[in-house]
Amino acid sequence: MSSRLKSDPQDGAPGFHVMAKPTGSVCNLSCRYCFFLEKQRLYPGERTRMDDGVLRAYIEQYIEAQDVPEVTLAWQGGEPTLMGLDFFARSVEIAGECAPAGKRISCTMQTNGTLLDEEWCGFLRDKGFLVGLSLDGPREMHDAYRLDGRGRPTFDRVMKAARLMQECDVDFNVLCTVHAANAGHPEEVYSFFRDEVGVQWIQFIPIVERINEDGTTLLQQGDTVSDRSVEPVPWGSFLLGVFAEWLRRDVGEVHVNFFEAAFASWVGAPAMMCIFDETCGNAMALEYNGDLYSCDHFVEPGYLLGNIMREPMARLAASGQQRRFGEAKRDGLPRYCRECDVLFACRGECPKNRFRPAQDGEPGLSYLCEGYRAFFHGIDEPMKLMAGLYNSGRSPAEIIEILEAPERELRRAFARAGRNDPCPCGSGKKFKTCHGGMTPPGGTCSP
């Protein structure tokens, strides 16, 4: 069968993204929270490696379906580097053959980093790959769940990959899952990425593992979660903790996915993350054999759209099944969400997490709702201020100087205050028994 299935112009979806998994769920690690490892049960006994026919079909059909100047080929897993360098060299070669004049092809790869060496890094740099490195924070937090198949920690191997990519000038960012082991340490996690790893782009993803009736996490079913999952309130507190440190010194310098997405909501721009869009369905997952699923989080039989070796990818992406999947995000919102003051930013969050009843018992509330509400309420004032700066043609990063000005003035007042003067912080105490007795002075006191 020819790998090239021509699409009818009416087949096309308005624009979509595909995450390709050339090794399926096969990985050289055995992270305790990885929902995808169990997907091997969907393809029992099969050799889960993408062959050249599927590779070419994916690239040809995907490029053909994208009416944009730049097309991104995204590779994930499992662990994609298990395919070897030759596979990805071949993918670049095919993309070059398929791309029409004027259309740029870019490539991304999400990896645990443990197989990267100088040869890999040279290839990734030379071919312009953007690499996402999975790292969950400092050693004890990362190694709590990110272990290899023999139960050994992986922190040192991942950090070695980070240093090697920096030495080889590979463009990379960090993807950090937030779970029971690191959710209580937002400032430490963020400072580690900024100061120790030295990255400027950070993606956080909350771990929510739904326990199925058989005790597995294979399907998005069940209303209980694993002990590894982040709880709603700690999730909100984590985001707020990171936000406070980011706001203090890093706006415009360090980019965090949830803050970028929130800013887009506050200025009325299109959603930057699918979980915060009104509808979803524009980000699908492609398995090693050409099976196309509605979403990376819904690689399960009920969400299989078809196979690109038998039906064009564009037609599957525009199918009624996929359209219904995407619209269900909006249509299934409970009244509690529809009447919420932060609906404009949240949009009910990811469908995979909407398995809790609202306060009135209506189904469809996000498990993480309480955390998201706290986060969006907590950032409202600074987001309004940054949005105002942006809408006035100024840089949102100016907020750092604006917020620092009152503290700077207070420090000057402390320096001028006599020991028996009222403390400038407004506590009502004398300076000598309030901030005058602190070294160094700073902050405010309660009366």
Side-chain angles (χ1 to χ4, degrees), residues 79-381:
E79 174 50 43
T81 58
L82 287 171
M83 293 298 296
L85 260 175
D86 289 346
F87 174 86
F88 289 99
R90 177 68 174 146
S91 74
V92 172
E93 178 185 352
I94 293 173
E97 296 170 358
C98 297
K103 183 165 289 191
R104 183 172 179 268
I105 307 298
S106 61
C107 301
T108 68
M109 176 189 291
Q110 185 64 42
T111 177
N112 59 47
T114 60
L115 299 179
L116 296 184
D117 56 19
E118 289 188 7
E119 186 180 11
W120 262 109
C121 288
F123 171 82
L124 295 170
R125 177 198 60 224
D126 294 345
K127 301 305 179 182
F129 273 65
L130 172 61
V131 178
L133 183 67
S134 297
L135 180 61
D136 283 358
R139 179 185 303 274
E140 64 278 8
M141 301 177 203
H142 176 90
D143 285 340
Y145 302 127
R146 295 194 65 83
L147 308 174
D148 66 17
R150 297 170 62 181
R152 297 176 301 184
T154 62
F155 178 80
D156 287 335
R157 283 174 274 176
V158 178
M159 285 301 295
K160 180 181 178 181
R163 298 303 178 221
L164 189 58
M165 285 194 286
Q166 288 169 332
E167 293 170 5
C168 295
D169 294 322
V170 177
D171 190 8
F172 79 100
N173 57 39
V174 160
L175 186 151
C176 172
T177 61
V178 181
H179 43 66
N182 62 7
H185 308 277
E187 295 87 355
E188 185 177 354
V189 170
Y190 177 71
S191 297
F192 170 76
F193 290 141
R194 181 192 62 198
D195 303 332
E196 297 297 321
V197 184
V199 291
Q200 294 180 304
W201 287 86
I202 305 168
Q203 300 179 67
F204 291 116
I205 296 179
I207 290 295
V208 179
E209 290 184 292
R210 297 173 66 176
I211 306 300
N212 301 170
E213 287 186 1
D214 61 1
T216 71
T217 57
L218 177 64
L219 307 176
Q220 295 295 351
Q221 297 177 2
D223 56 7
T224 59
V225 301
S226 71
D227 292 339
R228 295 179 291 261
S229 299
V230 63
E231 296 181 353
V233 172
W235 170 238
S237 298
F238 179 89
L239 291 176
L240 286 171
V242 174
F243 183 82
E245 177 63 14
W246 175 80
L247 186 66
R248 186 177 69 85
R249 55 176 283 189
D250 295 326
V251 179
E253 297 295 327
V254 179
H255 304 272
V256 179
N257 60 337
F258 280 96
F259 308 160
E260 301 276 328
F263 180 73
S265 295
W266 259 262
V267 299
M272 294 186 65
M273 295 171 65
C274 61
I275 65 173
F276 296 139
D277 211 343
E278 184 178 29
T279 61
C280 60
N282 291 327
M284 287 154 279
L286 182 74
E287 275 287 353
Y288 69 98
N289 64 350
D291 284 349
L292 188 68
Y293 289 87
S294 291
C295 172
D296 177 46
H297 291 288
F298 288 88
V299 175
E300 49 190 78
Y303 298 93
L304 174 62
L305 299 172
N307 188 287
I308 66 168
M309 302 302 287
R310 295 187 289 272
E311 192 169 359
M313 179 188 298
R315 186 179 301 164
L316 295 173
S319 67
Q321 178 183 348
Q322 185 64 0
R323 185 174 61 253
R324 289 188 294 273
F325 171 82
E327 292 175 349
K329 183 179 192 294
R330 175 198 61 211
D331 299 343
L333 278 177
R335 178 182 295 273
Y336 183 79
C337 292
R338 299 195 303 272
E339 297 177 352
C340 179
D341 61 342
V342 293
L343 175 62
F344 75 98
C346 175
R347 298 296 179 187
E349 205 246 335
C350 183
K352 81 178 186 70
N353 294 331
R354 284 167 50 178
F355 56 89
R356 287 291 169 87
Q359 293 179 349
D360 61 0
E362 187 178 3
L365 187 69
S366 170
Y367 166 79
L368 295 172
C369 171
E370 191 174 1
Y372 277 117
R373 281 176 58 87
F375 170 61
F376 288 127
H377 285 145
I379 66 173
D380 181 56
E381 288 304 320

